[in-house]
Amino acid sequence: MIIPTSIEELATYVLSEGKTVFFFTADWCGDCRFIQPALAEIETANPDFTFIQVDRDTYLDLAKHWDIYGIPSLVVFEKGQEIGRLVNRNRKTKSEINDFLASLN
């Protein structure tokens, strides 16, 4: 999972050609820590996607702009266009995330 170091770097991923998953998380989020161990498996199972970890607190303005008020949440872009979102306050499971990503292929 790529962890951007600036908003400018993060913006380059929004505009990239392939499908990019922005995984919004925070250190204090228990549900984020719950899914964290499965993220490597999710990435491996979905090689058509690039995964970007976005710290909600570091990029709070972006989270607000994209209406991310519950975490963990995922927003998927392709060529600068949002193509899917799994945004809510609920705990996410590995199968739920994999099913969501499969629906975007």
Side-chain angles (χ1 to χ4, degrees):
M1 183 152 318
I2 299 167
I3 301 174
T5 58
S6 69
I7 191 72
E8 293 80 13
E9 179 186 359
L10 208 151
T12 65
Y13 297 115
V14 172
L15 300 173
S16 65
E17 290 291 315
K19 294 178 184 130
T20 305
V21 178
F22 295 88
F23 176 73
F24 284 82
T25 186
D27 290 341
W28 51 264
C29 171
D31 290 338
C32 301
R33 287 193 305 272
F34 169 80
I35 196 62
Q36 190 73 36
L39 291 177
E41 293 174 42
I42 291 169
E43 282 188 83
T44 300
N46 296 281
D48 294 340
F49 295 86
T50 300
F51 290 81
I52 311 296
Q53 183 172 315
V54 183
D55 185 292
R56 188 204 69 107
D57 295 337
T58 301
Y59 298 102
L60 188 56
D61 289 340
L62 177 65
K64 287 180 184 178
H65 181 73
W66 286 2
D67 294 322
I68 308 294
Y69 294 104
I71 53 175
S73 285
L74 297 91
V75 179
V76 183
F77 275 79
E78 183 175 28
K79 299 178 186 173
Q81 298 295 315
E82 182 179 319
I83 61 169
R85 62 176 37 228
L86 182 57
V87 176
N88 56 47
R89 298 173 197 259
N90 300 330
R91 177 175 280 187
K92 314 295 187 285
T93 65
K94 182 170 78 170
S95 62
E96 180 182 11
I97 293 172
N98 282 327
D99 290 348
F100 164 68
L101 295 174
S103 75
L104 301 176
N105 276 327

